[in-house]
Every structure is written in C-alpha cells, then in structure tokens.
C-alpha cells in the first residue's frame, strides 16, 4: 500500500514540562521560565524543537478561579512571556492552556496558544468540550459554570515539520478532533493535548485514550499534564505526561511529580505504521460518513 504523503518531514525533539501551578500567578510564570530554560539547556536528546506546557499552568485548575486569573490574548502577560521565551530559545512552544478573557463578549475560555520560534502565535485552540462530569464517590467538576466552549477543531502547520492538531484535555475523549486532524486534507502527524486528568479518571482512561487516538489515526499523541500536588487541597492532577507513537506504543512517560520529559518523534515510524497496517487508507466512506468534510477546522 503506497503511503501518499509523509506528514512528519524530519525527526522532532520535544520537551514536556510537567509542573505544579499554585495560587501565585507570578510564581507560576517564573517557574515556567525556569523550567523552559532548563529544558533547553539540559537536553540530552539534542536541540529541542518543541516545548509543551500543561493545561492551566498559570492558575489553579478551579471553576471559581478561572475568571480571576483570566487574561486577554495576545496582550496578557502570559502570552507576552511565552512569545519572549519562544524567540529567546528559538523553539516552538505549545503553551498548555490558560484562562482567556474575551472582552468582546465578556466570556472566559480555556485556551491553548502555540508560538513559533519568532515568538508569533501560530495556533489558538479554545477547549471545545467542557469538562462537566459527576462520578459519585469520585469527582464532580463543571467547567461550564464559568467557562464557554470553543467552536472549532484546531490544526496548524508546525513549521517545516508538518501539520499537527491540538485539543485540550477532555477534548481527547471525542475522537472526531483527531480524526479530522489526521485525515486529508489536514494530514497531521500528531495530536497535542495539554491535559489535567485527575486521580479518579486518570488511572482509568489517560493511557487508554492516548493510545486509542494514536492507533485509530496512526499518529503520535503527546499529552502534557501538571504534576500532582500531593498534600494540596485543590484538584489533584494525575501527572504521567505521555508520548505515544502511531503503533500505540508509549515512547516516554513521566511520573507524578514535577519533571521535564523528553521524547523524539521518529519520522520513519508513521509511514511504517501506515504502510504495515494500512487502516488509514482502507476506510469505507461508502459505508459510513467521514467527519472531516463537515468538521469546522481552524485555517491552516
Ligand atoms: N481538565 C480536564 O478536562 C479533565 C478531563 C478528565 O479528567 C477526564 O477524565 O476526561
């Protein structure tokens, strides 16, 4: 089976920053700066191409805090800092997510920005599926009490590496975003998911969903979590930032605490997986519908 297009043009080195964010925003941003500096200068896998941050890295992950910590984009201090760090280190930054204040309509979104090495914003994804769950004796959380949902899938060009899709945490449970990103004409080689699963659903589904999206679409999945704040009174993130290859194999995994996780995405693996197990080209859109043409995707 011919592989029509190689979606990942060259190997990609990535550093995932698994940090714990607290109530002090200035301290959170200073920690981000230090972690990114170390990720770049202490890399043992060569030059880092992409640094990724977790969901809600500048604020507590709490429904009653999102508005207080929310910033305008691109003029807020967090957007400006990530832009400076991207150009200082000549690196792409997949900037986890932050609470965004859209002053035009006074709404708050959970928003992820990606910067290129010139410090320019090249992608903006607003969490499309809000995390509203209620598991008796487990966890109750209702983002929709204070957040509004985004209204599109996000795919963007990561320089000359190729295209990637972006979702935020609970978005990973909805396979359509990854399907639309990975298929023609979007042809992404990876889905990036900043995410903060918790100690109830993390052990159940974090690895399963990362592998499922990877295998279904024969892409890499890259999940960056906050570290677990053991002993803290707030939301307990699961940790275990994770990188999965297009065969569904875990190629890097963090523990529970703060750490920098490194991984290399090998450009040969994706075409090998797709030619060996050619489900990517065997879909029967005469039997069932392809979601790609009807999915609203950001402009590439
Ligand atoms: N921050 C989130 O969207 C959490 C999602 C989650 O924990 C899940 O189980 O899904």
């Amino acid at each position: 089976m011919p592989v029509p297009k190689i979606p990942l043009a060259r190997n990609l080195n990535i550093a995932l920053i698994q940090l714990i964010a607290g109530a002090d925003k200035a301290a959170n941003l200073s920690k981000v700066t230090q972690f990114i500096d170390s990720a770049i200068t202490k890399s043992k896998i060569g030059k880092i191409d992409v640094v990724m941050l977790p969901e809600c890295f500048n604020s507590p992950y709490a429904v009653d805090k999102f508005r207080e910590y929310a910033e305008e984009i691109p003029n807020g201090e967090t957007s400006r800092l990530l832009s400076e760090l991207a150009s200082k280190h000549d690196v792409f930054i997949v900037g986890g997510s932050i609470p965004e204040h859209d002053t035009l309509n006074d709404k708050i979104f959970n928003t992820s920005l990606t910067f290129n090495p010139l410090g320019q914003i090249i992608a903006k994804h607003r969490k499309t599926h809000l995390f509203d769950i209620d598991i008796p004796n487990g966890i109750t959380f209702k983002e929709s009490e204070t957040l509004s949902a985004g209204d599109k899938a996000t795919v963007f060009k990561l320089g000359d590496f190729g295209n990637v899709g972006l979702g935020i945490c609970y978005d990973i449970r909805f396979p359509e975003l990854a399907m639309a990103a990975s298929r023609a004409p979007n042809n992404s080689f990876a889905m990036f998911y900043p995410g903060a699963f918790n100690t109830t659903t993390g052990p159940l589904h974090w690895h399963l969903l990362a592998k499922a999206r990877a295998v279904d679409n024969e892409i890499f999945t890259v999940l960056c979590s906050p570290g677990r704040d053991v002993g803290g009174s707030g939301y307990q993130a699961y940790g275990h930032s994770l990188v999965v290859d297009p065969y569904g194999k875990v190629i890097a995994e963090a523990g529970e605490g703060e750490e920098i996780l490194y991984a290399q995405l090998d450009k040969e693996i994706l075409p090998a997986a797709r030619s060996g197990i050619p489900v990517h080209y065997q879909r029967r859109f005469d039997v069932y519908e392809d979601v790609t043409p009807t999915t609203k995707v950001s402009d590439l």
Side-chain angles (χ1 to χ4, degrees):
M1 177 69 59
V3 178
K5 188 167 181 222
I6 298 177
L8 175 56
R10 55 193 173 92
N11 292 349
L12 182 132
N13 289 340
I14 183 161
L16 286 75
I17 311 289
Q18 180 166 298
L19 57 76
I20 297 171
D24 181 342
K25 191 195 262 193
N28 294 335
L29 294 183
S30 153
K31 193 186 265 194
V32 164
T33 304
Q34 285 163 24
F35 264 102
I36 293 183
D37 283 351
S38 314
I40 301 288
T41 54
K42 298 195 177 135
S43 166
K44 293 193 171 61
I45 60 169
K47 183 186 180 315
I48 296 301
D49 303 301
V50 175
V51 172
M52 185 169 172
L53 296 167
E55 183 178 27
C56 270
F57 64 85
N58 72 353
S59 83
Y61 184 62
V63 167
D64 59 353
K65 297 287 179 205
F66 292 139
R67 183 167 281 275
E68 179 186 334
Y69 285 75
E71 294 178 21
E72 286 183 60
I73 290 175
N75 294 322
E77 60 179 323
T78 305
S79 308
R80 287 202 305 271
L81 174 69
L82 295 189
S83 166
E84 281 164 26
L85 291 172
S87 55
K88 174 181 169 194
H89 292 296
D90 183 31
V91 74
F92 289 93
I93 296 182
V94 177
S97 79
I98 61 171
E100 174 198 0
H101 186 194
D102 185 339
T103 50
L104 285 179
N105 49 28
D106 197 31
K107 287 184 175 171
I108 310 295
F109 296 90
N110 186 343
T111 302
S112 181
L113 298 174
T114 298
F115 297 81
N116 69 13
L118 297 175
Q120 297 159 331
I121 294 175
I122 55 169
K124 173 175 168 179
H125 178 74
R126 286 173 164 171
K127 191 173 191 174
T128 310
H129 305 90
L130 296 181
F131 179 48
D132 285 359
I133 66 164
D134 184 11
I135 303 179
N137 305 317
I139 176 172
T140 300
F141 205 93
K142 200 155 187 232
E143 280 190 323
S144 65
E145 277 176 12
T146 49
L147 296 181
S148 299
D151 60 2
K152 61 174 173 48
T154 300
V155 178
F156 63 97
K157 191 170 180 307
L158 191 75
D160 62 1
F161 289 99
N163 296 342
V164 298
L166 186 58
I168 301 175
C169 202
Y170 197 59
D171 280 337
I172 197 174
R173 291 189 179 272
F174 301 85
E176 289 82 0
L177 297 187
M179 286 154 73
S182 65
R183 294 178 188 165
N186 299 315
N187 295 320
S188 300
F189 65 85
M191 279 299 292
F192 286 22
Y193 295 104
F197 271 44
N198 52 81
T199 48
T200 302
T201 60
L204 282 171
H205 294 151
W206 177 254
H207 296 79
L208 180 69
L209 289 164
K211 290 180 179 187
R213 297 296 84 84
V215 173
D216 282 352
N217 302 293
E218 301 189 300
I219 54 171
F220 293 91
T221 51
V222 184
L223 281 60
C224 187
S225 170
R228 191 171 312 167
D229 187 13
V230 180
S233 56
Y235 185 89
Q236 290 290 306
Y238 181 53
H240 294 274
S241 294
L242 199 62
V243 184
V244 176
D245 79 12
Y247 288 112
K249 186 174 148 207
V250 172
I251 54 175
E253 177 170 356
E256 291 169 0
E258 292 191 314
E259 77 175 77
I260 299 170
L261 180 71
Y262 292 100
Q264 181 170 80
L265 310 194
D266 179 345
K267 72 180 176 62
E268 304 298 342
I269 290 182
L270 189 148
R274 288 188 183 181
S275 66
I277 311 172
V279 293
H280 194 78
Y281 312 106
Q282 293 170 329
R283 299 215 155 86
R284 292 289 308 277
F285 296 133
D286 56 329
V287 175
Y288 43 80
E289 297 243 340
D290 180 7
V291 298
T292 314
T294 51
T295 303
K296 281 165 63 185
V297 179
S298 59
D299 291 337
L300 268 174

